């Protein structure tokens, strides 16, 4: 899961269109949830929202496989204002060492 902070630095309430383009599926959620409807985030001036992008790694993915998804946010008040973030997700293995301790 990738976490980003979206802040309305303008002087009026604005609606921001959130779009994701990548090979692997991405599910977007926003806190506060009430700000997120139909792929857009509505923010009063000076307010922020946390965008979480949960990437689903396909089960058949090999170790080392990766995907770069592009998440863009566009202001509906001024569509020339666009911010983009690259979300890199990779398949890695984490080893967990659990020592065995003899029972006494």
């Amino acid at each position: 899961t990738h976490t980003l902070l979206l802040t309305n630095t303008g002087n009026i309430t604005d609606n921001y269109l959130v779009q994701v383009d990548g090979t692997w599926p991405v599910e977007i959620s926003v806190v506060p949830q009430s700000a997120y409807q139909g792929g857009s985030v509505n923010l009063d001036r000076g307010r922020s929202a946390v965008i979480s992008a949960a990437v689903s790694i396909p089960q058949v993915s090999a170790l080392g496989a990766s995907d770069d998804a592009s998440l863009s946010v566009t202001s509906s008040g001024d569509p020339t204002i666009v911010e983009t973030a690259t979300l890199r997700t990779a398949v890695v293995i984490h080893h967990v060492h659990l020592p065995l301790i003899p029972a006494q």
Side-chain angles (χ1 to χ4, degrees), residues 1-2 20 22-26 53-58 61-62 64-70 86-92:
T1 299
H2 302 272
V20 180
T23 304
W24 295 347
V26 179
V55 180
S56 296
I57 299 172
S61 298
S66 65
D67 181 57
D68 287 337
S70 176
T86 300
L87 312 176
R88 170 160 280 187
T89 304
V91 178
V92 296

Side-chain angles (χ1 to χ4, degrees), residues 59-77:
Q59 290 183 355
V60 296
S61 298
L63 180 64
S66 65
D67 181 57
D68 287 337
S70 176
L71 184 142
S72 63
V73 177
T74 306
S75 165
S76 63

Side-chain angles (χ1 to χ4, degrees), residues 4-8 13-19 28-44 47-52 71-77:
L4 302 103
L5 182 67
L6 173 63
T7 302
N8 179 355
T13 297
D14 202 350
N15 209 30
Y16 300 92
L17 177 64
V18 179
Q19 296 177 301
I28 299 295
S29 61
V30 176
V31 175
Q33 168 123 31
S34 60
Y36 187 61
Q37 293 181 1
S40 293
V41 178
N42 187 281
L43 291 175
D44 290 335
R47 303 297 277 183
S48 297
V50 175
I51 299 174
S52 295
L71 184 142
S72 63
V73 177
T74 306
S75 165
S76 63

